[in-house]
Amino acid sequence: MLNIANNLPLLQRQILKPRSAWQAPATRIPRRQSGWGKTSNPPPNTTNTASVTLPGGCKSSAKRGESAVMRCVAGVGLDTAGGWVDEYTELDDRRDLTTLPLPPIKTAKRVVIVRHGQSTWNAEGRIQGCSDLSVLTELGKAQAQTTQELLADENFDMLINSPLQRASETAEIVWNNREGPRKVMPVLREIDLFSFQGLMKGEGKSKFGDLYLDWQKKPWDFEIDGHAPVRELWYRASLAWRDILLSDDSCSTVLVVAHNAVNQALICSAVGLPPTHFRRLLQSNAATTVVDFQPSDESDGPPRVTLNKLNQSPDPPFRPDGAGRASKARLVLVRNGGTESTEAGLVIGRRDEACSAIGELLTEKTADLLRDLNFNVVVSSPLARAKRTSELLVNGRELVGNSSAPIQTWDELMAWEAGEWEMSSISEVRGGEFPKSGEPLEEFWARMGVAWNRLTDLVEKEETKVAVVSAHDMVLSGILGHCLGMGAESMSLFRHDLGSVTIIDFPDSPKAGKGVVRCANYSAHLGTWAVPVTRDDWEMVCGIDGCF
């Protein structure tokens, strides 16, 4: 695989002063009386229950004996009069506690997270939780094989996977014949869903009523069988990070294979997002997510984190695959094509340069990815490289006979003003004091807020419900940060390679609901021009030393 890092010395990165490390809230998530917490329905074990003896001597106090019989015989878990008991009970990790901070690390680590391929229960529409009765379907095996091929040339030092067989099967396929240490980590099992495990999704409302609606509408607030599954999962993910990051220092790149919900908890807890963001960062079957960790400048400080890639799936990112709810509107964020100055490793800021030949090549590949996506409008930064990117995206649609789309130019999407850093070498100014002649971070962040509001207004309209945004890496990071309700410091968390695609879906009204990130920095379509997952230059990682 061609390493673009060796061909383009340093891709465009506008640079800011390093951010201070920050973590998830240091207090326990309060109960409903202070805004979160317990549902109005009592857990099934506390009221209206009847203890029944099931085949094999299993006892259940579940509200509905028939479904409890199926779960008990199937081995999904034992809902006894003394509480839920299964093989993971003794781990004592089902705790509704504060998410632990990331541990200090001595060396940089890259963690590549893969969700298992489609399972038999995925295909049936049955809730799995931490049960271990489903295996990969033939499609699931094919998905895992595709991911194995995408990662075939990548270097991994260690494999860590969930003990559940659908994850173990996927891990065997993706790891292939690599050598190196392997570890099974029970803390990486899927979310514990207790009495819901084994339930067909279509029968949830009829059998559990408001309790199932709580799981659908406010999962962070949802409680069942005396447990808070999502909040407990966040705590469990923070335990997992301690094991992963404190593994052998010689293992700089770790492959982790697990599940939908626990992967979400890993990613969110790493970047400081609370349980309210459950289902906001999607994980498709066999998709790849990359998270980078760099040691803090303070010896006992938590590492600096970059979400390098999110949900790079075997299929095109906008193709429905069962991950997430149907979208009513969509924003597609495209990083503009590069210029000769960005290829030379210079801070370009607002210098108005045209795309280079390589920049146009990468954009044409992105246009080919999006040609069948029915977008209604392209919104562009006013700079030449972004406008040219917009033109190529529209031309790609027209070449295959699809209708054209208008291009709008917005000043709010203008690149960050680099001041005296403009045309300086990135390596020379990295980590330096933010130039007073540059655009203040607070002003830039406020401008991105205006851009975000305009974009949500735009896709609220029926005639422009799918919009493509052609802009710069720091601009896209600002839009993503506003989408997730984060602060200005969040812009150092996200990476956007040249020609990459980030998709924000709106299952509800864009103005009333919250954006769901289907993928971020998606680059599989770039082929040999994609930045390799494990072998790109650390200097190119956005967020490291506050580099944009």
Side-chain angles (χ1 to χ4, degrees):
M1 181 180 293
L2 180 62
N3 189 339
I4 197 170
N6 296 330
N7 291 272
L8 308 181
L10 282 175
L11 303 185
Q12 179 185 2
R13 293 285 182 267
Q14 287 83 8
I15 301 177
L16 297 178
K17 184 177 179 180
R19 66 178 174 88
S20 58
W22 59 285
Q23 296 296 325
T27 57
R28 177 172 175 162
I29 299 171
R31 298 289 187 178
R32 170 162 289 179
Q33 53 264 35
S34 53
W36 292 80
K38 189 172 295 184
T39 66
S40 57
N41 299 293
N45 284 352
T46 61
T47 64
N48 199 25
T49 61
S51 179
V52 294
T53 301
L54 305 175
C58 173
K59 291 185 177 181
S60 173
S61 58
K63 293 176 69 175
R64 293 159 178 82
E66 182 178 357
S67 59
V69 171
M70 185 277 293
R71 295 188 188 97
C72 184
V73 174
V76 179
L78 304 179
D79 190 3
T80 68
W84 189 272
V85 179
D86 62 14
E87 61 187 296
Y88 302 112
T89 301
E90 63 183 17
L91 297 177
D92 196 28
D93 59 6
R94 289 164 170 156
R95 297 188 171 200
D96 185 5
L97 297 176
T98 304
T99 302
L100 300 172
L102 296 173
I105 58 175
K106 297 179 180 178
T107 58
K109 281 189 180 292
R110 174 163 291 160
V111 180
V112 179
I113 302 171
V114 175
R115 182 189 174 191
H116 64 78
Q118 185 197 57
S119 71
T120 49
W121 280 20
N122 286 151
E124 291 174 19
R126 192 180 295 278
I127 295 177
Q128 299 178 107
C130 69
S131 65
D132 199 20
L133 293 173
S134 62
V135 297
L136 295 186
T137 62
E138 290 304 311
L139 173 59
K141 293 176 183 178
Q143 290 170 332
Q145 182 61 39
T146 299
T147 298
Q148 188 275 322
E149 293 167 2
L150 289 171
L151 300 176
D153 296 329
E154 308 294 352
N155 300 320
F156 296 108
D157 302 311
M158 184 178 188
L159 168 65
I160 300 175
N161 62 270
S162 157
L164 303 183
Q165 53 186 331
R166 56 192 185 271
S168 297
E169 285 184 86
T170 303
E172 287 289 340
I173 295 172
V174 176
W175 187 251
N176 200 16
N177 57 1
R178 291 181 173 89
E179 298 181 354
R182 302 172 62 167
K183 181 177 181 180
V184 176
M185 192 179 290
V187 77
L188 288 176
R189 69 188 184 276
E190 182 58 302
I191 186 172
D192 302 305
L193 285 175
F194 309 101
S195 291
F196 276 9
Q197 293 179 179
L199 182 73
M200 293 295 292
K201 294 178 181 179
E203 62 187 15
K205 185 176 179 180
S206 63
K207 290 193 173 183
F208 285 88
D210 290 343
L211 189 64
Y212 190 76
L213 292 179
D214 284 342
W215 165 240
Q216 290 183 311
K217 300 294 185 181
K218 299 182 70 176
W220 59 89
D221 229 5
F222 164 72
E223 296 189 8
I224 186 171
D225 295 318
H227 290 274
V230 174
R231 299 198 299 270
E232 292 177 10
L233 182 66
W234 250 244
Y235 173 73
R236 178 149 60 86
S238 69
L239 294 177
W241 277 129
R242 298 206 158 209
D243 282 345
I244 295 168
L245 295 178
L246 296 179
S247 59
D248 189 344
D249 287 342
S250 65
C251 297
S252 61
T253 305
V254 180
L255 175 64
V256 172
V257 182
H259 310 268
N260 180 12
V262 72
N263 285 3
Q264 290 184 53
L266 285 170
I267 299 161
C268 287
S269 61
V271 300
L273 292 172
T276 50
H277 283 68
F278 183 57
R279 300 187 186 131
R280 298 282 302 278
L281 303 180
L282 293 187
Q283 290 288 283
S284 302
N285 286 122
T288 299
T289 294
V290 183
V291 187
D292 290 326
F293 301 87
Q294 278 276 55
S296 170
D297 293 332
E298 302 175 3
S299 60
D300 60 346
R304 297 189 297 273
V305 181
T306 302
L307 183 54
N308 189 312
K309 292 184 185 297
L310 174 73
N311 204 34
Q312 184 149 296
S313 61
D315 294 322
F318 49 84
R319 180 177 297 167
D321 66 345
R325 296 160 55 202
S327 178
K328 294 182 178 179
R330 172 172 288 171
L331 287 172
V332 181
L333 313 182
V334 176
R335 168 82 191 276
N336 61 261
T339 71
E340 292 184 358
S341 292
T342 61
E343 292 165 15
L346 302 178
V347 178
I348 190 171
R350 293 184 180 176
R351 185 181 178 87
D352 202 7
E353 293 186 4
C355 289
S356 65
I358 293 176
E360 294 213 0
L361 171 64
L362 295 183
T363 302
E364 287 170 354
K365 289 182 174 293
T366 303
D368 188 58
L369 174 73
L370 301 182
R371 68 184 182 184
D372 293 324
L373 178 65
N374 188 26
F375 55 86
N376 310 106
V377 62
V378 179
V379 184
S380 174
S381 157
L383 296 181
R385 57 189 182 273
K387 290 197 291 186
R388 180 56 179 161
T389 297
S390 301
E391 293 169 357
L392 291 172
L393 296 178
V394 173
N395 291 346
R397 282 177 54 82
E398 295 173 342
L399 285 174
V400 294
N402 291 327
S403 60
S404 184
I407 299 174
Q408 300 179 10
T409 301
W410 290 8
D411 290 340
E412 291 88 345
L413 300 178
M414 174 67 75
W416 168 67
E417 172 56 66
E420 63 195 57
W421 279 4
E422 187 174 296
M423 300 307 289
S424 297
S425 169
I426 289 178
S427 60
E428 293 177 358
V429 300
R430 176 183 297 277
E433 289 293 326
F434 187 77
K436 294 182 179 179
S437 56
E439 183 178 9
L441 179 60
E442 296 78 9
E443 292 183 11
F444 179 84
W445 178 250
R447 177 157 63 86
M448 292 305 98
V450 174
W452 170 249
N453 288 332
R454 282 195 69 185
L455 288 169
T456 53
D457 285 339
L458 181 68
V459 294
E460 182 81 19
K461 302 174 183 177
E462 182 64 26
E463 65 271 19
T464 53
K465 62 181 179 180
V466 179
V468 174
V469 179
S470 169
H472 320 282
D473 49 359
M474 190 172 169
V475 170
L476 301 184
S477 291
I479 291 172
L480 200 51
H482 277 284
C483 168
L484 295 172
M486 306 176 82
E489 70 275 18
S490 68
M491 288 190 291
S492 64
L493 291 170
F494 307 114
R495 172 172 175 167
H496 301 277
D497 294 321
L498 294 168
S500 68
V501 172
T502 295
I503 297 178
I504 301 173
D505 281 345
F506 298 93
D508 302 304
S509 166
K511 300 305 292 183
K514 298 177 179 178
V516 172
V517 185
R518 177 163 291 277
C519 65
N521 198 29
Y522 183 94
S523 60
H525 59 287
L526 300 179
T528 57
W529 286 100
V531 177
V533 168
T534 64
R535 294 178 290 109
D536 63 320
D537 190 341
W538 276 98
E539 290 288 306
M540 296 174 59
V541 176
C542 182
I544 304 306
D545 290 331
C547 177
F548 291 86

